[in-house]
Amino acid sequence: MIETGRKKEKVILVAAALDDLEKAEQSLDELGELVKTAGAEVAGQMIQLRDAVHPGTYIGSGKLDELKWLVWEKEADGIVCDDELSPSQINNLEEVLDCKIMDRTLVILDIFAARASTKEGKIQVELAQLKYRQSRLTGLGKSLSRLGGGIGTRGPGEKKLEMDRRLIKSRIAQLNRELADVRRHREVTREQRSRNHMPVCALVGYTNAGKSTLLNTLTGASVLEEDKLFATLDPTTRVLNLPGGQKILLTDTVGFISKLPHNLIEAFRSTLEEAKYADVILHVADMSNPQMDEQMYVTYETLEELGVLNKTVITVFNKCDKAGEDLLIRDFKSDARVVVSAKTGQGLDTLKEILEDWIREQRMEIKRLYPYAEAGKIQMIRAYGEVTKEEYQADGIYIEGFVPRELYGKVN
């Protein structure tokens, strides 16, 4: 029987360590996880300590000769560099190594392309990919551009490179129009949510921190959860019923990662901005990961880039069942902290209590006797707020509870 299965691509990981060797090693390990998630196999790795990235070949000529032998020895199909490469660097490396040249951005884009399932996700990924390719089309460059009539503009037509440029430019314009429609739809959905007077909580954090598992455990959602980077891409929103009868909307967002490509942040802005329009942020951190502090820093940095500022942040230190006991838990940027295990359910009751307390703080307390003729107002309090005490008396119903500020005038 002949095996016709697809052969796994073998790659060598390459990094230029500019300051901290340990940090470069950690980043390369993460790149290895990204490569595995993309379906390839890591055949080896190479790090060079440098003052600056080589403008022509990413690493120095001596290390490049070593890399050429390593590619040959390991029978690798290509290399993956830990930083985004320029078009000239790609061309020069291809010329010397005679193999496929990839960078971290290309791998992340490839994973996103495989994970996208909704129309919005597919548009966003294609847009990011085209912008990446557009900046890497090489050749005669601007000299090929048709600037009107005259010498050099007559003849059989445009070169293939110029055709590619025009096609990509046209497709980007079309995708931007489609994405604008999707964004308008997302804005309408947000407006409908705000009319329901239900607070929105966005789950953010580094990729593979356990956001989807937390959403599934809390709400009974069926979002894909895997021990892989970027297992889920498209945002999911579910209602969480809290013990006191209150409700909150939980939205799972795209995971963040170190060196997240700028084109991806731009293309996925409408999805990532779920955090911007949320009322409270649940920052999920993987406390079993040795690089937790660095990952938390990347998360806050990305949130800042998205303009997510002045929000209440609750940091959820997840995977406590896998972490060591003597781990120091701290986050000076958050308003509250809780240690949980989304897998076992440990600490989730405390998390729900924190969310309930936060909702009460945002609402106005009401203590009032309603005549039986105004019983409909009590139903509004039950639907959008919380009733903590209810007493039936001779002249009406006495109510104690909490209501959203925007509804206080209607029920009081």
Side-chain angles (χ1 to χ4, degrees):
M1 190 172 165
I2 299 168
E3 284 287 334
T4 56
R6 189 182 160 201
K7 179 181 171 266
K8 260 195 175 183
E9 209 170 18
K10 287 168 74 176
V11 297
I12 306 289
L13 308 181
V14 184
L18 304 184
D19 43 20
D20 189 342
L21 183 60
E22 190 183 344
K23 198 174 176 183
E25 285 170 350
Q26 290 167 0
S27 185
L28 213 57
D29 288 341
E30 186 177 80
L31 181 63
E33 288 300 315
L34 284 167
V35 163
K36 286 172 195 169
T37 303
E41 183 186 319
V42 178
Q45 59 179 49
M46 180 177 282
I47 299 176
Q48 183 181 28
L49 272 166
R50 295 183 59 84
D51 294 329
V53 167
H54 193 288
T57 53
Y58 184 63
I59 54 174
S61 56
K63 212 69 176 170
L64 201 57
D65 290 336
E66 278 182 49
L67 182 57
K68 189 175 181 177
W69 278 106
L70 188 61
V71 168
W72 178 80
E73 185 192 343
K74 299 288 184 182
E75 296 181 347
D77 301 291
I79 67 160
V80 182
C81 296
D82 196 32
D83 297 284
E84 197 166 313
L85 299 173
S86 68
S88 61
Q89 285 172 332
I90 293 170
N91 281 347
N92 294 337
L93 286 168
E94 272 178 353
E95 207 171 293
V96 175
L97 301 174
D98 192 26
C99 68
K100 192 174 177 182
I101 308 298
M102 295 162 279
D103 59 18
R104 190 185 184 96
T105 301
L106 188 71
V107 175
I108 293 172
L109 287 171
D110 188 74
I111 295 166
F112 270 53
R115 295 279 190 251
S117 57
T118 64
K119 184 187 175 185
E120 181 183 14
K122 286 173 181 174
I123 291 170
Q124 289 170 323
V125 169
E126 190 183 347
L127 189 60
Q129 284 181 319
L130 286 173
K131 283 182 176 177
Y132 174 82
R133 285 172 191 158
Q134 186 185 36
S135 64
R136 276 152 187 79
L137 278 175
T138 53
L140 295 173
K142 290 181 181 177
S143 63
L144 280 178
S145 297
R146 192 176 279 177
L147 302 173
I151 297 167
T153 59
R154 292 180 286 267
E158 297 169 308
K159 299 279 184 185
K160 184 183 181 299
L161 184 66
E162 185 65 11
M163 284 287 285
D164 287 345
R165 277 206 180 94
R166 285 174 188 262
L167 285 169
I168 286 176
K169 200 174 178 182
S170 170
R171 182 66 180 149
I172 285 173
Q174 185 189 339
L175 288 170
N176 276 325
R177 287 193 294 272
E178 287 180 30
L179 201 54
D181 290 337
V182 172
R183 280 175 181 156
R184 279 192 288 272
H185 175 71
R186 193 173 277 281
E187 280 165 19
V188 169
T189 308
R190 285 190 191 119
E191 281 172 24
Q192 287 172 342
R193 283 182 199 160
S194 65
R195 283 193 211 109
N196 291 336
H197 307 290
M198 205 183 290
V200 178
C201 173
L203 278 78
V204 305
Y206 211 77
T207 182
N208 207 26
K211 296 182 297 299
S212 298
T213 308
L214 186 62
L215 182 73
N216 288 345
T217 308
L218 287 171
T219 67
S222 54
V223 179
L224 174 71
E225 48 180 89
E226 283 185 76
D227 188 18
K228 279 185 177 179
L229 304 181
F230 302 114
T232 47
L233 183 59
D234 300 301
T236 307
T237 303
R238 294 288 183 272
V239 177
L240 170 62
N241 295 300
L242 295 166
Q246 302 191 79
K247 293 179 179 180
I248 188 167
L249 284 171
L250 286 188
T251 299
D252 184 16
T253 58
V254 181
F256 301 150
I257 197 164
S258 177
K259 303 176 187 177
L260 190 65
H262 183 72
N263 283 339
L264 260 184
I265 292 175
E266 281 305 306
F268 275 79
R269 188 164 285 276
S270 65
T271 303
L272 292 166
E273 278 183 346
E274 284 293 336
K276 190 176 181 178
Y277 297 104
D279 301 296
V280 62
I281 303 289
L282 269 193
H283 175 193
V284 185
D286 178 2
M287 63 184 290
S288 69
N289 194 309
Q291 281 81 54
M292 182 184 71
D293 289 338
E294 288 89 344
Q295 292 181 353
M296 287 169 69
Y297 174 78
V298 168
T299 300
Y300 280 121
E301 205 176 37
T302 310
L303 286 173
E304 202 172 308
E305 190 176 340
L306 291 165
V308 183
L309 305 163
N310 306 318
K311 298 273 182 189
T312 299
V313 177
I314 300 165
T315 300
V316 181
F317 292 98
N318 191 25
K319 304 188 185 181
C320 65
D321 52 315
K322 290 183 177 180
E325 291 179 14
D326 57 342
L327 199 66
L328 183 64
I329 300 300
R330 60 186 178 189
D331 183 6
F332 302 117
K333 290 190 176 183
S334 68
D335 300 276
R337 290 153 293 283
V338 60
V339 174
V340 308
S341 167
K343 273 285 184 207
T344 66
Q346 185 183 335
L348 294 186
D349 288 338
T350 308
L351 174 59
K352 288 174 185 176
E353 284 170 19
I354 291 170
L355 285 170
E356 275 195 318
D357 290 342
W358 173 81
I359 291 172
R360 285 192 189 116
E361 283 170 16
Q362 310 311 306
R363 292 178 169 178
M364 296 188 76
E365 191 175 14
I366 194 160
K367 292 180 181 179
R368 202 192 139 182
L369 181 72
Y370 288 92
Y372 285 105
E374 293 182 19
K377 290 182 178 179
I378 299 170
Q379 193 53 40
M380 197 180 283
I381 297 170
R382 281 201 191 96
Y384 300 115
E386 179 188 9
V387 175
T388 55
K389 188 177 180 181
E390 187 174 3
E391 276 181 14
Y392 285 82
Q393 298 175 4
D395 50 351
I397 307 165
Y398 177 73
I399 291 290
E400 287 184 12
F402 299 88
V403 289
R405 292 176 189 275
E406 58 270 26
L407 281 181
Y408 186 77
K410 291 180 182 178
V411 298
N412 196 24

